[in-house]
Amino acid sequence: MNLDVHLHSHGERRYVGKLAAQAPQSSQRGRILFQYAPEFIDSGISISPFKLPLSPEVKEDSKRTFDGLFGVFNDSLPDGWGLLLLDRALRKKGSSMQACLPLQRLAMVGTHGMGALEYTPAPEIIEVKADEAVSVAELDALAEESLRVLRDAPVDAGQLDRLIQLNGSSAGARPKILVNVSEEYRIVPQGAGEPWIIKFRSAHEAPDTGLVEYAYSIAAREAGLDMPETHLFPSEATAGYFGVKRFDRVQGTKVHVHTACGLLHASHREPSLTYESLLRLTLLLTKDMREVQKMVRLMVFNVRSGNKDDHSKNFSFLLDKDNQWRMAPVYDLTPSEGINGEQTCMVNNKGLNITEKDLQAAAATVDVNARTVIEMIQQVDEALANVEKQDSLAS
Ligand SMILES: Nc1ncnc2c1ncn2[C@@H]1O[C@H](COP(=O)(O)OP(=O)(O)OP(=O)(O)O)[C@@H](O)[C@H]1O
Ligand SMILES: [Mg+2]
């Protein structure tokens, strides 16, 4: 099987190269090969500089961190929730996600993936009805249906198709839908408004999950982080649904996004990163100390707010119009227990009881001085104190 890869960023669509998969033999897993097109190498646009540098030879990831896919392509695949939905759709057709090879999964992403990479030819497994908007009143029904999918309970076939259409190829563990939203926060048909993500809770989460993520999004902004516009969509069943404007879509065009997971081939299913490595990555990739400071601030926010789910897919970078990498806006910032109550991304070799000195030590590895870190801590703590105040008013 072969797939053509295009980069459709900032309004221009360029042929990147070809992916080829060999069918698995009984004793061997199928190999996945990739080769850049000569014209793309000439463009100088490096979509994944560490693991897939621009050079003409055929490349293969022998370590197979992502089933043989290079991280930049693995970033296009849905995970958690998206895979579960696709599996449900495939089972209706007598197949399953398990039986699906990585390139077949990418083909299903087609031209609808997050970020700016497009894969052709794409099979249409679900008919996409582009102009049917979700009403805000429908959110409760969709959230309820998502919980049924998560619990493997029987789901109405029409509703399942609707969830699949609305999910696009979004990533992450929690159910979510991709919709267009007007300036008045009404959900509008595609072509109008701006693309947003609306998240529903997982089966084990409390009904106020959306409200909590919304409150922390405000705190993150107050703490000086680059948090996109967020909104709490109304609900009769819960405290509301968290929505966030997409940063991989700007004025109707796509933007190339790469997670730390994909850039470094660092799995997000296990603690595979430290903040020191993330800070070094930010410096190497962006070559800009302002971006490094943003990552320091995000580290401070995650540690001080108790967001311990700081895995490698919760950090991303964008490639701007001038082919300059910068940190993506922040996302998924909500207190979370992580694995065994430890920070997934370690600070100064620690996952627990991280002190101001530990934060300073991590920042010092990229020459961000202690005074700057102390100022950031003060600003973050003030913003977090405001969330707690709101919390006590609400209860
Ligand atoms: N505002 C945004 N614009 C574009 N992409 C985003 C945005 N927010 C999140 N994403 C992408 O969508 C993915 C899923 O979002 P998010 O991390 O909020 O979901 P989640 O289901 O809570 O994740 P997790 O599996 O980490 O719990 C992220 O990994 C990121 O790649
Ligand atoms: Mg996430």
Side-chain angles (χ1 to χ4, degrees), residues 80-107:
W81 168 248
L83 287 183
L84 188 66
L85 273 186
L86 275 179
D87 188 53
R88 281 294 191 94
L90 287 168
R91 276 199 265 161
K92 275 204 311 192
K93 294 184 183 256
S95 181
S96 75
M97 211 57 205
Q98 204 107 46
C100 231
L101 299 170
L103 285 209
Q104 290 170 312
R105 295 179 183 198
L106 272 183

Side-chain angles (χ1 to χ4, degrees), residues 38-281:
E39 63 269 28
F40 194 74
I41 298 177
D42 292 344
S43 79
I45 303 172
S46 196
I47 53 168
S48 188
F50 306 119
K51 296 294 177 183
L52 209 52
L54 285 174
S55 57
E57 75 282 358
V58 173
K59 299 177 200 296
E60 180 176 10
D61 176 34
S62 52
K63 287 199 181 147
R64 302 186 65 96
T65 312
F66 308 115
D67 275 344
L69 277 184
F70 280 98
V72 72
F73 306 129
N74 188 61
D75 272 357
S76 298
L77 287 180
D79 48 30
W81 168 248
L83 287 183
L84 188 66
L85 273 186
L86 275 179
D87 188 53
R88 281 294 191 94
L90 287 168
R91 276 199 265 161
K92 275 204 311 192
K93 294 184 183 256
S95 181
S96 75
M97 211 57 205
Q98 204 107 46
C100 231
L101 299 170
L103 285 209
Q104 290 170 312
R105 295 179 183 198
L106 272 183
M108 284 191 261
V109 169
T111 57
H112 306 292
M114 303 291 287
L117 292 178
E118 299 183 347
Y119 305 89
T120 49
E124 274 305 346
I125 59 159
I126 304 291
E127 199 190 330
V128 180
K129 297 181 197 123
D131 52 2
E132 263 185 53
V134 184
S135 68
V136 168
E138 217 188 317
L139 291 178
D140 279 335
L142 288 168
E144 186 52 40
E145 217 52 36
S146 305
L147 283 176
R148 294 178 69 78
V149 173
L150 288 172
R151 293 182 179 130
D152 212 13
V155 182
D156 172 79
Q159 286 280 25
L160 181 64
D161 282 356
R162 188 112 175 95
L163 281 174
I164 293 170
Q165 283 164 23
L166 290 167
N167 180 60
S169 295
S170 63
R174 293 186 183 84
K176 50 184 73 62
I177 57 173
L178 303 179
V179 289
N180 277 30
V181 171
S182 71
E183 280 179 13
E184 299 79 31
Y185 302 113
R186 273 202 300 275
I187 302 177
V188 291
Q190 271 181 39
E194 298 279 353
W196 280 58
I197 300 174
I198 297 179
K199 290 170 78 171
F200 302 135
R201 69 189 166 108
S202 306
H204 62 273
E205 287 177 319
D208 68 350
T209 301
L211 174 64
V212 173
E213 188 161 357
Y214 178 64
Y216 278 85
S217 74
I218 294 171
R221 213 173 286 124
E222 265 177 37
L225 288 166
D226 179 13
M227 168 63 74
E229 189 178 350
T230 56
H231 181 69
L232 191 67
F233 287 85
S235 161
E236 295 200 345
T238 70
Y241 301 110
F242 174 74
V244 58
K245 195 170 177 177
R246 282 175 68 177
F247 53 72
D248 63 330
R249 297 289 181 269
V250 175
Q251 292 170 341
T253 67
K254 300 182 177 185
V255 179
H256 179 54
V257 186
H258 208 344
T259 66
C261 164
L263 273 158
L264 296 174
H265 283 203
S267 168
H268 75 293
R269 300 192 190 283
E270 57 200 62
S272 58
L273 280 184
T274 63
Y275 275 103
E276 286 85 340
S277 60
L278 265 179
L279 291 168
R280 200 164 48 248
L281 167 68

